[in-house]
Amino acid sequence: MSAPRRRKESIWVTFAWTLNLIGLGGIALVAIAYLALQPVSAASRGSQPISTSALPATYTPDPNSPFYLPTVTANPLSTLIVVQTPTPFVLAGGIRPSIIGYSVSGRPIEVYTFGNGERQRMIVAGIHGGYEWNTIALADELITYIYENPNIIPSDVKLYILRNLNPDGDARDKGYDGRVNDHGVDLNRNFPINWAAEWDRDGCWDYGPTTGGTGPGSEPETRALMGFLQTHKIEALISYHSAALGVFPGGEPWEKNSIQFAKDLADVTDYSFPPLDTGCIFTGTLADYAVERGAVAVDMELSTHTKTDFKRNLKAVDVLLKWDK
């Protein structure tokens, strides 16, 4: 009787182990299938909507620009880069600037006005955006100081300060990538005097791609300032830059009164005049255009890319306000 019972138990044990092995095999197959389907799942996530920031309604892409990309395919594995708009500059008293135009991507071009005289003067900063961010910082310091000390403006003078001509570049980067506007254009090469789309880069800034635009005055930032200069009789203008090359008179060749203006500014600021000659040929500049409009004008470079030289430039403002041909 005992032998048959042992054979029956052996059959059930074998059956139980067979079920266990089948179960383990099934689990293994499920695991293999899961791993094999992972790339498919990752790929399918790429087809889901990707969050992007919307451009303003005023955005005007330029298909002729070598830096304009009509379509961009998002990489689902990349990190979205968000361009931040700089914190607006607002005076403590709540006084707002005039908006004379908008950038490629719809940011305002702002001008602050001081004084009520007939003799008009102008300061322009930020033409190279975030690459020369300290010129914008200087403009903000000067705006604040003059607002708090309005008596420094002579009764016969009106001063305009355009604090940031290239807000898109300023928003994009506080380095090389912030120099051009959102069409990839160097705005100080885009004015319609001695204009050129390209130039010999020997001795010139050459740390990134840039162009003079698709034509003279092709950029909305340039046209905004051109329109302002055409409707105002600016007698003297300083266009701020950085860094360390000195004071460049406007005009080609340098205009006589602008040379004297540059010398007077160099005397009070200790910036170099004659400016450092790197061999660069400058085309389409704001200073040249302002001279063409009847102003004395200079490009004046701060000593570094990080300092505003505020005290030096209070003296420069005094020269600007009192300048007389």
Side-chain angles (χ1 to χ4, degrees), residues 7 26 30 52 54 68 77 80 92 115 160 162 176 223 225 227 237-238 246 249 265 282 291 308 315:
R7 283 197 298 270
V30 170
T52 58
Y68 168 62
L77 302 180
L80 181 65
Y160 302 102
L162 196 167
Y176 297 147
R223 292 195 299 271
L225 182 48
L237 180 146
I238 297 174
L265 289 168
F282 297 102
V291 166
T308 63
K315 297 177 183 178

Side-chain angles (χ1 to χ4, degrees), residues 293-306:
R293 297 294 311 168
V296 297
V298 299
D299 283 331
M300 187 157 73
E301 300 224 343
L302 303 181
S303 60
T304 70
H305 278 303
T306 58

Side-chain angles (χ1 to χ4, degrees), residues 77-312:
L77 302 180
S78 67
T79 301
L80 181 65
I81 298 174
V82 179
V83 174
Q84 299 291 340
T85 297
T87 301
F89 173 76
V90 180
L91 287 170
I95 294 179
R96 296 283 179 171
S98 300
I99 295 175
I100 65 169
Y102 292 88
S103 68
V104 170
S105 291
R107 295 182 174 92
I109 310 296
E110 302 173 331
V111 172
Y112 285 82
T113 304
F114 300 98
N116 298 296
E118 294 183 357
R119 303 172 62 197
Q120 300 179 41
R121 307 286 188 268
M122 190 167 195
I123 291 171
V124 177
I127 197 166
H128 286 146
Y131 178 64
E132 296 180 356
W133 64 268
N134 56 331
T135 68
I136 303 168
L138 170 62
D140 292 346
E141 288 181 333
L142 293 175
I143 290 167
T144 302
Y145 181 86
I146 296 169
Y147 172 71
E148 294 172 350
N149 300 274
N151 292 335
I152 74 168
I153 306 293
S155 60
D156 62 342
V157 169
K158 181 178 288 186
L159 173 65
Y160 302 102
I161 301 181
L162 196 167
R163 58 178 297 271
N164 186 1
L165 186 60
N166 185 5
D168 293 350
D170 182 39
R172 187 185 316 113
D173 184 50
K174 295 297 189 289
Y176 297 147
D177 290 340
R179 184 180 178 92
V180 296
N181 77 346
D182 275 357
H183 283 160
V185 175
D186 183 328
L187 296 178
N188 204 40
R189 296 275 188 171
N190 188 237
F191 287 86
I193 301 296
N194 308 314
W195 177 84
E198 294 295 334
W199 53 91
D200 186 344
R201 303 307 169 102
D202 286 348
C204 299
W205 188 91
D206 197 22
Y207 296 104
T210 181
T211 173
T214 57
S218 62
E219 303 311 298
E221 300 91 342
T222 310
R223 292 195 299 271
L225 182 48
M226 288 171 58
F228 186 88
L229 293 175
Q230 290 166 8
T231 55
H232 294 75
K233 188 174 175 55
I234 303 299
E235 297 179 4
L237 180 146
I238 297 174
S239 175
Y240 273 107
H241 294 263
S242 62
L245 295 180
V247 189
F248 294 80
E252 182 58 43
W254 291 344
E255 189 263 336
K256 180 182 68 173
N257 289 319
S258 294
I259 293 174
Q260 186 58 54
F261 186 41
K263 289 179 179 177
D264 291 350
L265 289 168
D267 285 345
V268 299
T269 59
D270 290 329
Y271 296 144
S272 298
F273 185 84
L276 181 63
D277 183 1
T278 64
C280 184
I281 303 299
F282 297 102
T283 55
T285 70
L286 168 58
D288 287 353
Y289 180 75
V291 166
E292 188 74 10
R293 297 294 311 168
V296 297
V298 299
D299 283 331
M300 187 157 73
E301 300 224 343
L302 303 181
S303 60
T304 70
H305 278 303
T306 58
K307 297 180 180 179
T308 63
D309 302 341
F310 175 67
K311 290 183 179 180
R312 290 193 198 185

